[in-house]
Amino acid sequence: MIQYELEMKVRDYECDTQGIVNNSVYQNYLEHTRHEFLIENGNSFTTLMEKGVMAVVARIEIAYKKSLRPGDVFMSRLYVRKEGVKYVFHQSIYRKSDETLIIKAKVDTVLVVNGKLTASHPELDAVVSKFDE
């Protein structure tokens, strides 16, 4: 299932001496995708923070399958589900040219509202509920 996808391109400086995207850079791709997803669904981390709401990563699991190289165009995809107190983003990155799976990730986020851990927030729940089946 795909709720959102974002096309991006590997920049030279994101690669290590082996000529492949450094493993830490993939987390930047995943985070950028979550930010753009929220913006396209009427929210942003900035506006939420201004309201005292912080969505923070509690846990991330990444399975690295293949590597991206300079100039590769790729699709960063996600779907999100509410699981207990967590908003769980299931994310993947595919090389666009051949649809090769590059990474799969599961990102657990929790909410801190005005300094307190909170189980949910109406604005984020509204985004997630748009995609419930």
Side-chain angles (χ1 to χ4, degrees), residues 100-127:
T100 296
L101 176 63
I102 304 300
I103 67 164
K104 286 179 72 171
K106 180 182 168 197
V107 182
D108 296 343
T109 60
V110 295
L111 296 181
V112 177
V113 178
N114 297 320
K116 296 180 183 174
L117 186 63
T118 304
S120 66
H121 190 271
E123 291 179 58
L124 292 176
D125 289 347
V127 171

Side-chain angles (χ1 to χ4, degrees), residues 10 14-16 18-24 26 29 63-74 93-104:
V10 175
E14 296 170 327
C15 298
D16 57 24
Q18 297 169 322
I20 58 176
V21 171
N22 185 279
N23 62 10
S24 66
Y26 290 102
Y29 296 157
Y64 297 92
K65 304 294 187 178
K66 299 281 182 183
S67 298
L68 289 171
R69 298 187 175 279
D72 280 347
V73 176
F74 61 94
I93 291 176
Y94 287 82
R95 187 172 38 240
K96 187 176 179 182
S97 64
D98 59 5
E99 279 295 306
T100 296
L101 176 63
I102 304 300
I103 67 164
K104 286 179 72 171

Side-chain angles (χ1 to χ4, degrees), residues 68-84:
L68 289 171
R69 298 187 175 279
D72 280 347
V73 176
F74 61 94
M75 302 306 292
S76 182
R77 299 173 177 155
L78 71 74
Y79 68 93
V80 62
R81 293 282 178 257
K82 184 81 166 77
E83 297 178 13

Side-chain angles (χ1 to χ4, degrees), residues 21-98:
V21 171
N22 185 279
N23 62 10
S24 66
V25 172
Y26 290 102
Q27 288 194 50
N28 292 329
Y29 296 157
L30 298 174
E31 183 172 7
H32 183 65
T33 304
R34 291 191 305 276
H35 281 247
E36 292 297 316
F37 169 75
L38 281 181
I39 290 168
E40 287 198 23
N41 283 281
N43 275 293
S44 75
F45 284 111
T46 303
T47 57
L48 289 171
M49 276 188 19
E50 289 168 354
K51 297 175 184 178
V53 179
M54 293 190 308
V56 295
V57 173
R59 178 186 172 110
I60 186 166
E61 298 173 26
I62 299 176
Y64 297 92
K65 304 294 187 178
K66 299 281 182 183
S67 298
L68 289 171
R69 298 187 175 279
D72 280 347
V73 176
F74 61 94
M75 302 306 292
S76 182
R77 299 173 177 155
L78 71 74
Y79 68 93
V80 62
R81 293 282 178 257
K82 184 81 166 77
E83 297 178 13
V85 299
K86 300 179 289 187
Y87 295 87
V88 181
F89 290 85
H90 299 270
Q91 296 186 250
S92 57
I93 291 176
Y94 287 82
R95 187 172 38 240
K96 187 176 179 182
S97 64
D98 59 5

